[in-house]
Amino acid sequence: PKPPTEPKKVDPIVEAAPTNDLWRQLRDGQGQPPALTVKTVAELAGQYHFFHWHLAFPQVFARGGFDVVLGNPPWERLKIQEREFFSARVAEPERLESSAGRDAYLAVVAAEFPALWTEWLGAKRGSEAQAHLIRNSMRFERTASGDLNLFPLFGDLADSVLRASGRCALLRPQGIVTDKSYAGLFINLLKNQRLVAVRGFVNEKMLFPAVMHNVKFCIFSFAGQDAPGTPCTRATFSFDAETVSESFDAARVHQMSAEDVRRLNPETETCPIFDSGRSAAILARIYESMPTLSASGFAYSYGHTLHMKNAGRHFRPRGSGGVPVLESKMIYQYNHRSAGFDHLPPGEHAHILPPTGPSLLQDPGFEPSSCYELPEKVFALEVGVSTSLRWRMVYRRITSLEVARTVVACIVPNRGLSDSLMIVDVAPSTPTQAEFLLSCFNSVPFDFAARCKQGGRNLSQYVFDQLPVPPVGRLTERCPWNPAVPLAVWLTPRVLELTYTADSLSAFASDCGYAGPPFRWFEERRADLRAELDGAFLHLFGIARDDAEHLLDSFWVVRNREIAESAEYRTKRVILEIYDEMAEAMRTGKPYRTRLDPPPADPRVAHAARPKERNR
């Protein structure tokens, strides 16, 4: 027989928690609350400083709320961070960077600093309790998602205290309209035709001296349900202004409705970012005839990368014989050997790496050194895929508007890939799809679209999935500027010559149907190859000639650098020349002729064949 069950022990504090029945009894004058309830509620009120808007401003809410709400509420995460908490109290907070170091560090604190450990547990519990209340109170249904931050929550709060005829304006991080986790309030107000304006700024001229120069924020203004001027069918937008007057510049200002946003970002309904009304119009025309990547028909998936902090305990210094770990700073478009750690002592890291010189890139056997290596068994376990995969397609996850290109993609050998990279896996059985997507990702129209969607520094999967891509069916259609061949046949030699410059990518070349040695590295020839691909994708995206010129001018980092170096924006000139030649070929039916001699992927521009044992 089972032993008798012991009676459940009840915590007196739990029993003292005020219930709805107790509140009703007190409201109706039926008795007194328990002493422990009164004592505990008073202690909690003193600890958390509860604030009730209707009790604090009864005369305001008797009229329905505030006529005007203005403010710059705090911008900070709710989740307490170990490093931030302990850095002001004990030494060596850098040990909290990795999961292994964090666990060991906290164990030492628990054993040797009991008072500090109790303080930490209390702070952690308070943070978790606040998050629980916010997520489940139904007061922040449009903003209580993702990694909780105060700045969107105050938007929901402002709306709840606003009178139906009132107006609100808040100074907010730009993420309130661009980030998937925080944009619920934005799209709700836009759909209900209450959003008035979003005027975005970048702090380059230090409007806020104590804030970093590249921080982006906005004035987010909306109206009450019955305010004058509502319904507001199309809200006003401007972005990246450095002064207040710039935010009202007619060339910068544009308008969008909820339907416009849904068409441009159908999955997340986050706000696209435009530097001008013309850029907004160009992207709108692209989406009228182009599907998003997720709806394009390509067979791709996102692979698993190494979480650098969690996997850090497995890292070994280079030269240990393990699998190298490739980081985003080591790659560039069509080039997985763009930079390396060769000039640094083993184990030393750096945020910026000097580029690999042309002489080393001319050596097909050269591979830049990584900072870390992984034992092969750990690599297979951490990555969760077979080490027999021969190559991967990746793009940089971290980006910004201050770099030459927002999207940086290339083919890499199968090795450890840090979480600063995103993997876009395409089956080796469909290499033409990988070639097409790679050339599309690195094209100027795709990059233009990405910059219009990129609100922060993280080029996330949900942003990538919503970028425009020609449908997969175009691969087998006749090339518009050379009807004698399918588009895939025209693309393959150009992508192959740009990509296959190292022995380590021989598997990719083999899957593409090429069995020869790698191609030699010629800077000017590579620039012309890329210009041909850019001209081609401008046509594939259906971009008119004058819009193509505007689009190329928007790449201000490349433009300013080339003009400073050679007094000419060469990239723009060459791409437009090729664009015009292709347009003429499409008009006349006479095939476009490449300006490259020898033509793309010609054996004459490849390295000399070498013994098989050296070409591994």
Side-chain angles (χ1 to χ4, degrees):
K2 293 182 179 180
T5 304
E6 293 185 9
K8 184 178 181 180
K9 296 181 180 180
V10 179
D11 190 331
I13 290 291
V14 175
E15 288 294 294
T19 63
N20 196 45
D21 285 341
L22 177 60
W23 178 83
R24 291 176 185 275
Q25 293 172 19
L26 297 176
R27 180 197 63 184
D28 299 335
Q30 300 175 0
Q32 298 294 322
L36 183 56
T37 300
V38 174
K39 176 177 179 294
T40 305
V41 167
E43 290 174 350
L44 291 173
Q47 179 181 353
Y48 290 105
H49 308 287
F50 297 130
F51 180 85
H52 197 298
W53 286 84
H54 290 72
L55 295 180
F57 301 101
Q59 72 282 15
V60 171
F61 289 96
R63 299 175 59 249
F66 289 91
D67 296 301
V68 176
V69 176
L70 297 173
N72 177 17
W75 311 0
E76 61 182 68
R77 295 170 61 188
L78 238 67
K79 183 179 180 180
I80 191 168
Q81 303 295 308
E82 291 96 336
R83 184 180 176 90
E84 294 176 4
F85 181 86
F86 288 106
S87 61
R89 296 168 171 83
V90 288
E92 298 182 332
E94 63 275 2
R95 290 173 56 188
L96 296 167
E97 289 293 345
S98 68
S99 59
R102 181 167 58 249
D103 293 344
Y105 188 91
L106 294 178
V108 170
V109 171
E112 299 182 9
F113 304 94
L116 179 59
W117 180 248
T118 300
E119 183 184 354
W120 159 248
L121 293 179
K124 185 171 179 287
R125 182 186 181 283
S127 173
E128 293 169 350
Q130 290 180 52
H132 177 79
L133 176 65
I134 288 167
R135 292 188 190 280
N136 295 281
S137 66
M138 295 186 292
R139 294 190 62 198
F140 306 95
E141 293 184 286
R142 297 171 294 184
T143 53
S145 61
D147 194 0
L148 291 180
N149 197 303
L150 290 178
F151 77 80
L153 300 177
F154 271 93
D156 241 338
L157 174 62
D159 190 26
S160 71
V161 301
L162 185 67
R163 193 177 184 183
S165 59
R167 292 285 290 267
C168 174
L170 301 173
L171 201 63
R172 305 285 70 205
Q174 191 169 279
I176 198 168
V177 299
T178 61
D179 290 0
K180 181 181 178 182
S181 296
Y182 304 140
L185 178 64
F186 155 73
I187 194 61
N188 178 270
L189 292 172
L190 190 61
K191 286 180 176 178
N192 287 291
Q193 302 182 350
R194 294 175 53 206
L195 186 67
V196 176
V198 177
R199 300 192 183 275
F201 299 84
V202 61
N203 200 38
E204 287 295 335
K205 294 192 174 177
M206 307 308 289
L207 296 172
F208 292 93
V211 179
M212 292 176 62
H213 73 95
N214 58 358
V215 168
K216 294 189 174 185
F217 57 93
C218 67
I219 299 173
F220 183 78
S221 61
F222 58 91
Q225 295 178 359
D226 301 319
T230 55
C232 184
T233 57
R234 294 175 67 82
T236 299
F237 296 85
S238 64
F239 291 103
D240 294 334
E242 295 183 2
T243 65
V244 174
S245 59
E246 276 188 10
S247 71
F248 287 88
D249 185 344
R252 188 183 296 272
V253 173
H254 57 282
Q255 293 185 321
M256 285 189 292
S257 66
E259 178 58 28
D260 295 329
V261 170
R262 189 204 63 78
R263 183 169 62 254
L264 297 174
N265 283 335
E267 297 180 21
T268 61
E269 296 184 316
T270 49
C271 184
I273 306 298
F274 300 110
D275 60 357
S276 66
R278 185 170 183 183
S279 292
I282 292 172
L283 192 63
R285 286 193 287 272
I286 290 174
Y287 274 91
E288 287 173 359
S289 59
M290 198 79 59
T292 62
L293 175 60
S294 62
S296 63
F298 284 93
Y300 73 96
S301 62
Y302 292 109
H304 177 68
T305 55
L306 291 165
H307 191 286
M308 295 297 281
K309 290 185 179 180
N310 293 342
R313 64 187 184 278
H314 299 303
F315 288 157
R316 302 291 183 269
R318 66 173 181 264
S320 60
V323 178
V325 177
L326 196 66
E327 302 178 52
S328 65
K329 68 188 76 175
M330 299 173 66
I331 74 164
Y332 201 65
Q333 292 182 327
Y334 302 107
N335 182 15
H336 76 280
R337 306 185 296 164
S338 177
F341 289 83
D342 306 78
H343 67 294
L344 294 174
E348 185 174 329
H349 208 260
H351 293 293
I352 299 176
L353 300 175
T356 303
S359 60
L360 289 175
L361 293 172
Q362 278 285 8
D363 178 4
F366 170 75
E367 291 291 322
S369 295
S370 61
C371 185
Y372 309 113
E373 292 181 0
L374 284 174
E376 189 156 330
K377 290 183 179 179
V378 174
F379 164 65
L381 178 65
E382 287 288 330
V383 178
V385 298
S386 170
T387 53
S388 64
L389 282 175
R390 306 198 300 172
W391 52 269
R392 320 292 294 271
M393 180 162 57
V394 300
Y395 71 86
R396 284 182 181 175
R397 182 173 63 85
I398 305 300
T399 185
S400 76
L401 296 180
E402 291 78 38
V403 294
R405 298 299 290 265
T406 301
V407 181
V408 171
C410 70
I411 303 294
V412 301
N414 189 32
R415 54 183 58 174
L417 301 173
S418 82
D419 54 6
S420 61
L421 294 166
M422 295 293 296
I423 302 173
V424 185
D425 271 331
V426 180
S429 59
T430 58
T432 55
Q433 290 196 20
E435 293 167 350
F436 184 87
L437 288 177
L438 179 64
S439 54
C440 181
F441 295 164
N442 285 328
S443 70
V444 291
F446 188 87
D447 201 284
F448 168 77
R451 284 189 288 121
C452 292
K453 306 296 188 73
Q454 186 62 20
R457 294 186 174 274
N458 194 343
L459 191 54
S460 304
Q461 293 178 13
Y462 71 83
V463 176
F464 218 70
D465 277 337
Q466 295 180 125
L467 293 174
V469 171
V472 69
R474 296 297 298 270
L475 274 173
T476 54
E477 294 177 1
R478 293 292 165 180
C479 182
W481 47 90
N482 191 349
V485 297
L487 178 61
V489 172
W490 188 89
L491 285 172
T492 292
R494 290 159 175 82
V495 178
L496 188 61
E497 183 177 336
L498 284 168
T499 300
Y500 184 36
T501 61
D503 295 333
S504 57
L505 289 181
S506 60
F508 174 73
S510 176
D511 288 340
C512 294
Y514 176 80
F519 296 97
R520 287 178 283 168
W521 187 281
F522 298 113
E523 293 281 358
E524 290 190 11
R525 182 177 171 88
R526 291 177 64 83
D528 287 341
L529 282 166
R530 295 186 56 180
E532 284 198 334
L533 290 171
D534 283 327
F537 276 95
L538 286 169
H539 282 294
L540 292 174
F541 274 71
I543 296 174
R545 176 61 162 74
D546 58 341
D547 287 343
E549 189 166 357
H550 171 85
L551 186 152
L552 288 164
D553 281 334
S554 71
F555 287 79
W556 58 271
V557 174
V558 180
R559 180 194 64 206
N560 294 349
R561 182 183 64 203
E562 290 189 4
I563 291 175
E565 292 175 352
S566 60
E568 180 198 19
Y569 186 6
R570 181 188 184 277
T571 296
K572 174 185 174 182
R573 174 178 61 79
V574 175
I575 291 174
L576 290 179
E577 287 174 355
I578 293 172
Y579 176 97
D580 291 339
E581 292 167 9
M582 289 178 170
E584 180 65 12
M586 293 161 66
R587 186 185 69 81
T588 63
K590 185 178 180 180
Y592 164 79
R593 293 188 62 181
T594 180
R595 56 178 59 191
L596 291 158
D597 185 22
D602 189 285
R604 288 172 288 177
V605 293
H607 287 277
R610 291 168 297 156
K612 289 184 178 180
E613 63 270 14
R614 292 185 57 198
N615 190 24
R616 290 179 295 179

